[in-house]
Amino acid sequence: MIRSELIQKIADENPHLYQRDVERIVNTIFEEIIEAMSRGDRVELRGFGAFSVKKREARMGRNPRSGDSVAVEEKHVPFFKTGKLLRDRLNGK
């Protein structure tokens, strides 16, 4: 499902809301998650999962094409851990 499909589904299930308002709500939620993660905060959506940021240390990597060693800088990457409800649904429980 892509963002526009999510917006359309929410708008269809809530006919009392205008589509532009649903779009604004969905965009605001995503922006707040992004903002929180950029500050290094953890975002937990009960039953769904938790978004957090993990730090990857600097290391020596390898260029797969040439085989040369390459310095890879330290970086922060997003991490998602599923919630129990989501895990149970995926496993048919």
Side-chain angles (χ1 to χ4, degrees):
M1 176 178 282
I2 59 175
R3 185 185 299 226
S4 60
E5 292 172 341
L6 175 63
I7 292 167
Q8 188 60 50
K9 183 162 178 61
I10 293 171
D12 291 345
E13 290 179 3
N14 296 282
H16 60 284
L17 296 174
Y18 293 112
Q19 181 151 351
R20 68 177 181 269
D21 293 336
V22 172
E23 186 173 353
R24 189 176 306 132
I25 291 166
V26 169
N27 289 337
T28 300
I29 291 169
F30 288 148
E31 285 300 319
E32 286 300 316
I33 290 172
I34 292 168
E35 279 296 315
M37 290 180 68
S38 68
R39 291 189 307 265
D41 295 342
R42 182 174 184 265
V43 178
E44 182 178 337
L45 303 172
R46 294 280 163 108
F48 182 70
F51 297 93
S52 60
V53 178
K54 291 204 175 201
K55 179 180 171 185
R56 288 198 182 155
E57 298 293 335
R59 63 185 172 84
M60 288 304 292
R62 188 179 67 82
N63 181 335
R65 182 170 287 168
S66 65
D68 295 338
S69 292
V70 179
V72 179
E73 295 178 0
E74 128 183 328
K75 59 185 164 184
H76 294 86
V77 294
F79 180 75
F80 177 73
K81 181 177 180 185
T82 59
K84 185 177 183 330
L85 180 63
L86 177 58
R87 247 188 337 267
D88 288 347
R89 285 232 181 128
L90 291 175
N91 293 308
K93 295 180 182 178

